[in-house]
Amino acid sequence: MGVIVQEQAGLFHLQSSDMSYMIQIVDGYPAHVYWGGRLKHREPMSDLLIHTPERAGLDRLPQEYPQYGSGDFRNPAYQVELEDGTRITELKYDGYRIIKGKPSLTGLPAVYAEDENEADTLELLLKDAYSGLRVVLLYTLFADRNVIVRSARLINEGEKRLRLRRALSASVDFSGKDDLEIMYLSGAWAREANITRRPLLQGETRIDSKRGMSSHQFNPFAALVTKETTESHGEAFGFSLVYSGGFEAAAEVDSFGSARFSIGVNSFDFAWLLNPGESFQTPEVVMVYSGQGLGDMSRTYHRLYRTRLCRGQYRDEERPILVNNWEATYFNFDADKLEAIAEEGAKLGIELFVLDDGWFGKRDSDNSSLGDWYEDRRKLPGGLADIAERINRRGLKFGLWFEPEMISPDSELYRKHPDWCLHVPGRRRSEARWQLVLDYTRKEVRDYIYDSLSAIFSSVPVAYVKWDMNRCLTEIGSAVLPPERQSETAHRYVLGLYELLERITSGFPHILFESCSSGGGRFDPGMLYYMPQTWTSDNTDAVERLKIQYGTSLVYPVSAIGAHVSAVPNHQVGRITPLDFRGDVAMSGNFGYELDLTKFSDEEKETVKRQVSTYKQIRGLVQKGDLYRLKSPFEGNVSAWMFISEDKEEALVYYFQVMAVPNAPRRSLRLAGLHPELDYEVQSGDSGHKPVLGGDRLMRLGLPLVFEQRDYVSGWFRLQAIKPGNA
């Protein structure tokens, strides 16, 4: 296993325990040979080598990093403009290097290896002799995972300036597969992560974001799958971009049925000037292969992102149960009201109180004060230190909301520094939610935010931070960049954000950071590198959350999915659902409450106390177990999923029926992922009845489901393996 090289044949075989990825040098061009299930390596492998019809030229060659202008008329992976205005370059193979482990990427988040024996990295060196452009293609192979991590570094080794017009992270050609479909996550604010699946036909299927953020509309993820691929069968090829700005992902099918998939920073409105000696590093894309369906692909992503993307002390710790005051009070609160909610939360077993928007400046609505990060003494006469001490005295940790990337025109900061926002001189400054975006390309802006936040973190016992971002980037220009670099602003913004996040999170490692962007507007791997969980959606309706959380789980681990119980009628859709139903949906993620606990009846408080107690028993399994999706909310009235421990000795099953069905047929739920030779003690909810059933029976015959005759019914099963001698 590892990177196997046949130099005479120009063949590179990247081989893990269950996967192979093969590249061949054809006439100086790196060409894609194979990606799929593991192949034995033989010497020589001449039967696999590519033979392209000579008259077809590059247009039929499955290139690894294709160029435009020399005979390949499909989407290129990069494009460079020379000083004379021409755009023709021709990269040719110029050697290779193999590195143990996985190198980090300067200034960018990246998957990592804790031990160099976990991974091997192949660097393919390419060179355009005319311009002096060098490109280093990086491929990291994890020995025990079906994962290839790709990126590219473009270096100007010539004597004249080069301007990048396009610099994608990866391109893969799929030849001889005319039955591929594409899957991706689409949506909008409050209805994120809808699973879209459609056939690939001749032409281009493209998703992207031009918003300066990964966006609610499309997630920076897509998978190519075969027509027969299901949760548990068939091939899936996943692509997940570790980046938090504008992106593009496209699948182009040519007239011969070959599909080229490419992904990276969005080329629209992008340019990057490379002076001699300068380089540009693309974000990396995590490519996952599964020969056992979508579920196996997802679990590969989950394990990798949970343990080799997320970092810090909270990577492996169980996450606290919180109550957030936002939907309880919005901007209308004082210290006594906050303490009252925390006091009630403490009685119910909640562990963390989060003070949301409205605590700073003169923030009585969302039209002012962003950037003025000092407490409003009208609401908090004793300041943040006082309310934090009062919360701590009740036995809860204290958390705080910020929106550090934004500035309100009605703020002291804006009146002092009106040029600190992204803007174009002489042009209208588009406001959204009465706010503008700070120019994070500027070091003095990032320093101001760092100093403002660190002053609070150094004086107030903050244990949790919700880092929000509530609008997209417009008028994308910077007052400090010269004209020839204005098209670099959007990417430099993201790099500036990453630089600040690295300083903040490394400087205050005891704080659990959660990212948010009006919910899931920036739910991407780039943010998970700095913040191990994300507020999944501003929509807290339990029925809608079935879809949102199910779709998000296609690529992101449950440990990253923030999920809260909110009040009814729901503030987003007006729906009234039972507290048990809301709790079961939210307990399938990072659990919390977003409502006024002081308004609950005694019966409701007992329900909350039971939910909190239950989640404390199961959260280790929910947050770290393997997820198996059993019934899709996109396909019917019943949804179900389960969590299984690594040793397969413990499992938890959740099921949901949205609407009542009259005279319904008998239903059973077939489980997955269990050990067929083990017997399991099965507990249904809080019932004391615990029948013992075999893993084979549970997966083939299933568990009978009995639904009450009402809308919004949910339930759960806990399974515990019976060890020999304990039956």
Side-chain angles (χ1 to χ4, degrees):
M1 294 188 292
V3 181
I4 306 167
V5 182
Q6 289 185 11
E7 293 200 22
Q8 187 173 359
L11 191 70
F12 299 87
H13 184 179
L14 286 67
Q15 183 191 65
S16 68
S17 56
D18 295 306
M19 182 189 71
S20 286
Y21 189 101
M22 301 181 69
I23 305 161
Q24 179 193 358
I25 307 302
V26 179
D27 297 330
Y29 303 100
H32 182 73
V33 176
Y34 174 80
W35 180 27
R38 183 177 185 269
L39 299 175
K40 294 179 182 179
H41 190 81
R42 298 177 176 87
E43 296 262 5
M45 301 185 76
S46 56
D47 59 315
L48 286 173
L49 302 188
I50 295 171
H51 301 282
T52 302
E54 183 176 341
R55 59 187 173 83
L58 296 182
D59 205 34
R60 296 287 299 277
L61 186 68
Q63 296 185 70
E64 283 288 302
Y65 206 67
Q67 55 215 343
Y68 179 80
S70 301
D72 188 336
F73 300 99
R74 298 163 292 174
N75 282 333
Y78 77 99
Q79 188 174 26
V80 176
E81 181 180 316
L82 282 61
E83 273 202 338
D84 61 6
T86 60
R87 284 91 56 213
I88 306 304
T89 57
E90 191 165 28
L91 294 172
K92 289 294 191 79
Y93 174 70
D94 194 41
Y96 73 94
R97 289 192 293 260
I98 297 175
I99 303 167
K100 292 294 294 181
K102 183 179 186 298
S104 60
L105 302 184
T106 302
L108 287 167
V111 171
Y112 57 88
E114 288 192 334
D115 185 288
E116 68 173 18
N117 294 318
E118 286 184 51
D120 292 289
T121 298
L122 168 68
E123 291 188 347
L124 284 184
L125 312 178
L126 312 179
K127 184 77 179 280
D128 176 48
Y130 178 80
S131 67
L133 173 68
R134 178 178 292 281
V135 173
V136 181
L137 302 182
L138 293 91
Y139 302 78
T140 294
L141 172 79
F142 283 84
D144 296 322
R145 306 175 193 264
N146 292 342
V147 173
I148 296 280
V149 182
R150 285 191 59 181
S151 68
R153 185 165 62 250
L154 295 90
I155 310 162
N156 184 358
E157 294 183 349
E159 298 179 354
K160 297 181 179 180
R161 299 194 307 179
L162 301 175
R163 185 182 300 276
L164 303 181
R165 292 293 188 184
R166 182 181 181 92
L168 300 186
S169 299
S171 179
V172 179
D173 284 1
F174 294 82
S175 302
K177 287 185 175 289
D178 56 2
D179 63 342
L180 288 176
E181 299 180 338
I182 188 170
M183 295 183 68
Y184 51 87
L185 301 177
S186 60
W189 174 79
R191 48 181 175 86
E192 297 90 342
N194 285 272
I195 296 177
T196 299
R197 179 171 178 170
R198 62 187 190 185
L200 285 183
L201 304 175
Q202 186 172 343
E204 184 177 58
T205 301
R206 176 188 173 92
I207 63 172
D208 77 350
S209 169
K210 303 178 184 72
R211 299 167 183 264
M213 55 196 286
S214 45
S215 86
H216 298 85
Q217 286 69 26
F218 295 106
N219 198 271
F221 161 80
L224 300 189
V225 300
T226 54
K227 289 181 180 179
E228 69 274 9
T229 298
T230 64
E231 272 293 310
S232 56
H233 298 92
E235 287 191 305
F237 302 85
F239 299 84
S240 176
L241 186 67
V242 186
Y243 188 61
S244 306
F247 75 95
E248 64 178 81
E252 180 186 18
V253 179
D254 66 14
S255 56
F256 300 98
S258 295
R260 170 171 290 175
F261 185 89
S262 53
I263 187 169
V265 174
N266 201 321
S267 305
F268 175 80
D269 199 36
F270 167 85
W272 195 274
L273 188 63
L274 285 181
N275 289 315
E278 292 181 342
S279 64
F280 179 87
Q281 173 64 54
T282 73
E284 67 182 25
V285 56
V286 178
M287 299 163 42
V288 168
Y289 169 76
S290 169
Q292 301 176 58
L294 297 170
D296 180 66
M297 178 197 73
S298 297
R299 288 185 289 277
T300 300
Y301 274 119
H302 296 173
R303 297 183 195 114
L304 182 74
Y305 283 176
R306 190 176 64 244
T307 65
R308 293 297 181 270
L309 178 65
C310 295
R311 302 176 299 162
Q313 71 179 65
Y314 289 97
R315 186 192 79 173
D316 301 321
E317 286 188 9
E318 294 179 358
R319 310 290 167 74
I321 302 169
L322 65 83
V323 59
N324 183 302
N325 75 299
W326 177 240
E327 290 192 18
T329 66
Y330 292 103
F331 297 100
N332 184 25
F333 60 82
D334 57 24
D336 290 340
K337 178 60 178 178
L338 300 178
E339 186 178 10
I341 296 174
E343 180 181 10
E344 204 59 56
K347 295 176 184 177
L348 303 175
I350 291 172
E351 300 158 318
L352 170 67
F353 176 87
V354 179
L355 171 55
D356 210 282
D357 196 355
W359 59 266
F360 54 93
K362 297 178 180 178
R363 183 82 163 172
D364 295 323
S365 67
D366 58 4
N367 63 3
S368 74
S369 301
L370 289 172
D372 298 341
W373 298 112
Y374 49 85
E375 60 264 75
D376 183 350
R377 294 279 176 160
R378 298 171 305 154
K379 298 178 182 179
L380 305 173
L384 286 173
D386 172 69
I387 188 61
E389 192 276 331
R390 291 165 70 171
I391 298 297
N392 291 165
R393 194 165 59 228
R394 296 294 180 185
L396 280 72
K397 293 183 177 181
F398 179 67
L400 202 55
W401 178 96
F402 291 88
E403 193 172 2
E405 297 166 66
M406 301 295 151
I407 184 171
S408 300
D410 182 10
S411 67
E412 294 303 317
L413 181 64
Y414 189 80
R415 284 184 278 273
K416 186 176 180 180
H417 296 290
D419 64 328
W420 274 17
C421 65
L422 292 176
H423 68 282
V424 176
R427 299 290 182 177
R428 177 173 64 91
R429 301 183 180 189
S430 302
E431 295 181 24
R433 279 187 37 139
W434 296 279
Q435 63 193 51
L436 300 166
V437 183
L438 283 170
D439 184 356
Y440 268 31
T441 72
R442 302 176 66 159
K443 185 178 185 301
E444 65 269 31
V445 173
R446 302 195 303 272
D447 287 345
Y448 168 81
I449 294 298
Y450 177 83
D451 292 342
S452 298
L453 271 59
S454 62
I456 294 173
F457 299 158
S458 299
S459 60
V460 180
V462 176
Y464 164 101
V465 165
K466 182 179 180 182
W467 182 296
D468 211 342
M469 182 212 192
N470 279 309
R471 62 155 294 177
C472 308
L473 277 57
T474 57
E475 289 81 47
I476 302 176
S478 174
V480 298
L481 292 177
E484 65 270 20
R485 291 194 180 273
Q486 286 296 319
S487 293
E488 301 175 10
T489 305
H491 184 62
R492 286 187 181 274
Y493 177 93
V494 179
L495 295 179
L497 170 64
Y498 289 155
E499 188 269 344
L500 176 61
L501 292 180
E502 185 66 37
R503 291 174 68 191
I504 287 279
T505 57
S506 60
F508 300 93
H510 66 283
I511 296 178
L512 170 59
F513 286 86
E514 177 177 278
S515 67
C516 175
S517 182
S518 290
R522 199 166 59 183
F523 201 138
D524 59 59
M527 294 304 293
L528 287 184
Y529 183 74
Y530 304 98
M531 304 183 182
Q533 60 190 57
T534 301
W535 181 229
T536 317
S537 176
D538 281 346
N539 188 344
T540 55
D541 172 64
V543 174
E544 290 299 309
R545 272 302 188 109
L546 289 173
K547 294 179 180 178
I548 292 169
Q549 292 172 206
Y550 186 100
T552 301
S553 78
L554 199 63
V555 62
Y556 300 106
V558 172
S559 61
I561 296 174
H564 297 171
V565 175
S566 62
V568 292
N570 176 264
H571 291 195
Q572 288 77 47
V573 300
R575 196 180 344 256
I576 298 175
T577 52
L579 185 54
D580 280 337
F581 187 88
R582 284 175 275 155
D584 286 343
V585 174
M587 282 193 283
S588 299
N590 275 328
F591 186 50
Y593 294 85
E594 192 141 342
L595 40 69
D596 190 345
L597 296 171
T598 67
K599 294 182 178 180
F600 270 175
S601 66
D602 289 342
E603 181 182 358
E604 289 173 320
K605 290 176 183 177
E606 285 302 313
T607 299
V608 171
K609 187 181 294 186
R610 185 177 68 251
Q611 289 174 343
V612 169
S613 175
T614 298
Y615 192 72
K616 288 178 180 178
Q617 298 173 46
I618 65 173
R619 62 180 159 188
L621 183 58
V622 171
Q623 294 171 8
K624 300 179 184 179
D626 286 334
L627 173 68
Y628 285 78
R629 295 180 293 262
L630 305 177
K631 293 281 186 181
S632 171
F634 295 100
E635 297 175 0
N637 191 39
V638 175
S639 307
W641 46 66
M642 63 186 292
F643 308 92
I644 305 178
S645 62
E646 186 176 355
D647 60 12
K648 298 188 179 296
E649 293 188 356
E650 185 182 6
L652 176 69
V653 182
Y654 276 104
Y655 62 91
F656 310 87
Q657 178 175 274
V658 176
M659 304 303 292
V661 178
N663 194 23
R666 293 178 60 186
R667 289 197 182 97
S668 62
L669 180 64
R670 284 199 242 180
L671 307 188
L674 300 173
H675 196 301
E677 301 300 323
L678 289 178
D679 291 329
Y680 293 87
E681 186 178 73
V682 181
Q683 178 183 353
S684 177
D686 296 319
S687 168
H689 182 53
K690 299 180 180 180
V692 176
L693 300 172
D696 53 349
R697 173 179 166 175
L698 290 167
M699 291 189 289
R700 291 169 184 161
L701 293 177
L703 284 167
L705 296 182
V706 179
F707 293 106
E708 297 177 52
Q709 197 58 29
R710 61 177 175 86
D711 296 338
Y712 315 124
V713 180
S714 63
W716 50 272
F717 298 96
R718 292 186 70 178
L719 282 66
Q720 186 66 53
I722 304 297
K723 296 182 180 180
N726 294 341

